[in-house]
Amino acid sequence: MDSPYKQASDSPSKQLLLELGRLRIHAEEDLYARLERETDEREKAHKIALAAASVEHERVRRSAEAAAERFQLELEKERKKREDEERRELDKKRQEKIERELVDRRREIERARTAEVEERRAAEEGERRAAEARKAKLELEERLRLGRETVEAEAHRRREEVEHANKKAQEAATAAKKRTEAEAQQPQASVRTSQPSTTGTGLPSASQTPSTRPHVNPDREVDHQRYQAIHQRLKELRRFMISQGKSNPALKKRMGDMRREIKKCVGQLTEGKGANRGPINQIMKVLKEAITVPEPRIEIPQFLASPPPPTSISDSKGPALLIYLLNIFSKAIISQFIDEASVSPKTADPIGVVAVSVFAANEFRWQGHSLIDILLAKYHIVCPVLWGIYGDERTVHGKTRLGWWREDKDDPNAPWISAQRHSERMTGLGAGFAALALRNFEKSRLESPFPNVHYWQALAAIVNVPPNEVSQTHFIVLKAMIENYEARFLEFYGDAAKVALRKALVEFPRQASNGSVAASAVAVLPDVLRRDKKFTLVD
């Protein structure tokens, strides 16, 4: 359709519009032409850029392919190198394995030869030791057979002497009681003064007081030597069991395990109600197990101070392992007294409870008799003053008699332990003895293996030592066995105990001519008792 302005030639305005229309058309045509040119130019530029990009892409691709080829070559080279190294390492290991196998084969051959020689030698040694053990056993049985009649005769003589001593002590006690009543000049309070049963052993009654100077048994040294002999037999038993273990590896291992278990349990003893139930049950278990070991067997009476006459030779024998372990147990108990009670005397009480419980058990008695003499034999060695033994502390012989120890107990030339260490040992042993002796079995179905009268006898033995023979050791032990145990002593002996304590703590220290520190420590105990326990010994 044509524009109406194309026909507008009759008017200037129309001509102007016509001109403007033409200009507009020309402008649009120029614009479109320019746009087409720009489009063509951009298309050419894009084509050039695409061509350049294609060339660059091709260049990058070829470069990447070249790099990939180089990388693959490096990988292949590294792989070959690694394979070569692994091959060389494998060859080396194979060579080393072959060499080790050769060395091991040579060693096996050498060990087989050595084992054959050792077996031959062990067999010869086993036969020799077995022969020695049989010989030692025969010698031991022969000595026991020869000594049985002597032991029976000695026991009979001792019973007669003790009965005589009881009679003299009773007479002296009656006189002492009369003198005490006269000195008091007033009626004594009614307290329990019942005498403990002698249990058929002929021990003195509670009415015998230290102040009466009771009959001194002239055979006190003989009794002391008798316990020393038991101690020596225990050493022989230890050597015998070691020799048995060498020829019987199973017994050696079992014996070693039991010994270590007992030592461990004793070392675990402590204060506190029920705290020691576990250790004592384990100790009992080990000792009961020892009873079941049938061989070797030994004569039991040789380890008793006053053995009853056996009805037959077979009745006198028992398991050697039980005696050996009771010896180990006794040694551990004394070591515990020394190590623990020397620092804190009160700790001796639970240790004493366990020791007495073991020796009171019916399973560990021989024909109804307690084997506590094994423990007492060791006590006679380490603390002989408890049985009235005395000696000069300035001499070697005197120190030995009083229980002084050397730094090396196996070396007779070793120096003596210090006075401080000796005092600590005696303190622990004195407290330990009281813990053993002052046990109340009234409510127990078992019989006491160590009646209370032994405490009385030890107290009397110490305070009746001749004044010129009294030493520091006597006062140290006396203080340790009284301190912390005076109430229990009074519970058992009543007024008689009060008289005994006055003698031990008031009169006895006055006999000390040298004014020793130990005597002074005993002399102040009455003041301590009056202050702490409201108990008066001196009016």
Side-chain angles (χ1 to χ4, degrees):
M1 181 176 180
D2 295 332
S3 172
Y5 298 107
K6 291 182 178 182
Q7 304 299 326
S9 60
D10 56 348
S11 174
S13 58
K14 289 181 180 180
Q15 290 178 358
L16 178 61
L17 288 173
L18 179 61
E19 289 297 327
L20 289 173
R22 289 175 180 170
L23 289 174
R24 179 181 178 186
I25 291 170
H26 285 263
E28 288 177 354
E29 289 175 352
D30 291 339
L31 174 63
Y32 291 146
R34 188 174 65 253
L35 291 175
E36 287 177 0
R37 286 193 304 270
E38 289 176 356
T39 301
D40 292 340
E41 290 174 356
R42 282 196 296 272
E43 183 179 357
K44 289 178 182 178
H46 287 165
K47 289 179 179 180
I48 292 170
L50 287 173
S54 177
V55 171
E56 181 65 19
H57 177 73
E58 184 65 21
R59 186 188 64 79
V60 171
R61 184 183 63 77
R62 287 195 300 269
S63 177
E65 288 176 352
E69 289 177 0
R70 288 195 300 272
F71 181 70
Q72 288 295 331
L73 290 174
E74 290 293 333
L75 287 179
E76 184 67 19
K77 183 178 178 181
E78 184 67 24
R79 184 182 62 79
K80 288 181 179 180
K81 181 180 178 181
R82 188 168 57 252
E83 288 178 353
D84 291 341
E85 290 178 352
E86 290 177 353
R87 189 180 302 108
R88 286 194 298 270
E89 185 68 21
L90 184 59
D91 292 341
K92 182 180 178 181
K93 290 182 178 179
R94 286 174 179 170
Q95 185 63 28
E96 291 177 351
K97 181 179 179 182
I98 293 172
E99 292 177 356
R100 284 197 303 270
E101 289 177 351
L102 290 174
V103 172
D104 291 342
R105 191 173 295 112
R106 293 192 191 100
R107 287 178 179 173
E108 287 177 1
I109 294 172
E110 185 64 26
R111 279 199 296 267
R113 291 174 181 172
T114 305
E116 185 179 353
V117 173
E118 289 294 331
E119 287 178 2
R120 192 183 305 114
R121 187 180 303 162
E124 294 174 355
E125 182 68 15
E127 292 177 359
R128 184 183 65 80
R129 288 176 178 172
E132 290 179 355
R134 287 192 297 271
K135 182 180 178 182
K137 186 176 181 180
L138 291 174
E139 291 177 352
L140 181 61
E141 291 178 350
E142 180 65 15
R143 286 199 302 272
L144 293 175
R145 186 185 65 80
L146 294 175
R148 188 175 296 111
E149 294 181 359
T150 303
V151 171
E152 293 175 0
E154 180 67 21
H156 178 71
R157 181 188 63 79
R158 189 182 181 207
R159 283 194 293 271
E160 290 181 347
E161 290 176 350
V162 171
E163 290 174 359
H164 177 69
N166 281 347
K167 182 178 180 181
K168 298 290 288 184
Q170 187 66 36
E171 294 174 357
T174 303
K177 188 174 181 181
K178 291 180 179 178
R179 283 199 302 272
T180 302
E181 292 174 352
E183 291 173 0
Q185 295 182 354
Q186 59 182 2
Q188 296 289 333
S190 176
V191 294
R192 182 169 64 89
T193 58
S194 61
Q195 301 175 0
S197 172
T198 62
T199 65
T201 61
L203 296 172
S205 64
S207 59
Q208 174 190 340
T209 67
S211 61
T212 63
R213 285 288 180 188
H215 172 69
V216 178
N217 189 342
D219 289 332
R220 177 174 294 161
E221 291 288 343
V222 174
D223 292 338
H224 183 53
Q225 291 169 7
R226 183 179 294 111
Y227 279 99
Q228 287 178 321
I230 292 176
H231 184 261
Q232 193 61 37
R233 294 187 197 107
L234 290 168
K235 286 187 174 182
E236 294 177 2
L237 172 64
R238 179 176 175 273
R239 290 191 290 268
F240 172 71
M241 293 302 291
I242 290 175
S243 67
Q244 290 289 308
K246 290 179 179 178
S247 58
N248 187 345
L251 174 64
K252 180 180 179 180
K253 182 180 183 303
R254 192 174 189 181
M255 188 166 59
D257 292 342
M258 289 177 166
R259 180 182 69 249
R260 285 186 290 273
E261 185 67 20
I262 286 177
K263 287 184 176 180
K264 181 193 76 173
C265 291
V266 173
Q268 293 173 344
L269 299 180
T270 184
E271 295 182 89
K273 186 176 181 180
N276 297 322
R277 185 176 292 110
I280 191 172
N281 288 342
Q282 187 62 24
I283 292 171
M284 293 285 194
K285 179 182 177 181
V286 172
L287 293 176
K288 289 177 182 178
E289 183 182 350
I291 299 176
T292 64
V293 179
E295 294 294 339
R297 296 176 66 81
I298 56 171
E299 295 280 346
I300 302 299
Q302 63 177 317
F303 303 108
L304 297 176
S306 299
T311 56
S312 65
I313 295 179
S314 60
D315 290 341
S316 66
K317 290 188 175 183
L321 184 58
L322 174 63
I323 303 300
Y324 171 79
L325 292 178
L326 286 175
N327 182 38
I328 296 297
F329 172 72
S330 300
K331 186 175 181 179
I333 287 293
I334 287 181
S335 295
Q336 200 73 355
F337 280 148
I338 294 173
D339 295 339
E340 300 293 335
S342 61
V343 179
S344 176
K346 290 183 179 180
T347 59
D349 205 58
I351 303 171
V353 169
V354 173
V356 172
S357 298
V358 168
F359 284 106
N362 292 327
E363 297 92 333
F364 313 134
R365 291 176 177 266
W366 180 75
Q367 295 186 359
H369 292 268
S370 171
L371 297 174
I372 199 170
D373 282 344
I374 294 173
L375 175 60
L376 296 181
K378 293 190 174 297
Y379 242 107
H380 270 267
I381 299 300
V382 296
C383 194
V385 298
L386 287 165
W387 288 271
I389 302 301
Y390 50 81
D392 189 349
E393 288 183 310
R394 296 168 296 181
T395 66
V396 172
H397 178 68
K399 282 180 178 288
T400 302
R401 282 177 57 78
L402 290 171
W404 275 76
W405 225 238
R406 293 184 182 272
E407 293 291 351
D408 184 355
K409 62 184 181 66
D410 297 324
D411 183 3
N413 298 318
W416 299 100
I417 61 175
S418 65
Q420 175 64 28
R421 181 60 184 139
H422 174 70
S423 175
E424 292 172 354
R425 283 174 57 85
M426 293 299 108
T427 297
L429 292 168
F433 185 86
L436 292 171
L438 293 178
R439 303 251 68 90
N440 192 342
F441 272 73
E442 289 183 357
K443 298 180 180 180
S444 174
R445 58 183 178 80
L446 300 175
E447 180 183 353
S448 171
F450 199 52
N452 315 130
V453 71
H454 287 280
Y455 182 89
W456 184 278
Q457 289 177 326
L459 192 68
I462 292 176
V463 301
N464 286 318
V465 170
N468 60 327
E469 299 290 352
V470 176
S471 65
Q472 288 266 92
T473 303
H474 291 94
F475 287 111
I476 294 170
V477 174
L478 182 65
K479 178 178 180 294
M481 64 186 294
I482 292 177
E483 195 171 19
N484 301 314
Y485 289 95
E486 67 284 338
R488 201 172 299 175
F489 186 35
L490 288 166
E491 177 186 350
F492 286 122
Y493 292 108
D495 271 354
K498 186 173 183 180
V499 174
L501 289 174
R502 184 183 299 114
K503 170 66 178 178
L505 302 181
V506 179
E507 299 177 20
F508 184 58
R510 294 173 184 168
Q511 299 177 6
S513 58
N514 55 359
S516 67
V517 175
S520 301
V522 173
V524 301
L525 272 182
D527 296 332
V528 175
L529 292 176
R530 182 171 58 252
R531 182 194 65 201
D532 298 342
K533 305 293 179 66
K534 311 303 179 186
F535 175 64
T536 303
L537 288 176
V538 182
D539 297 330

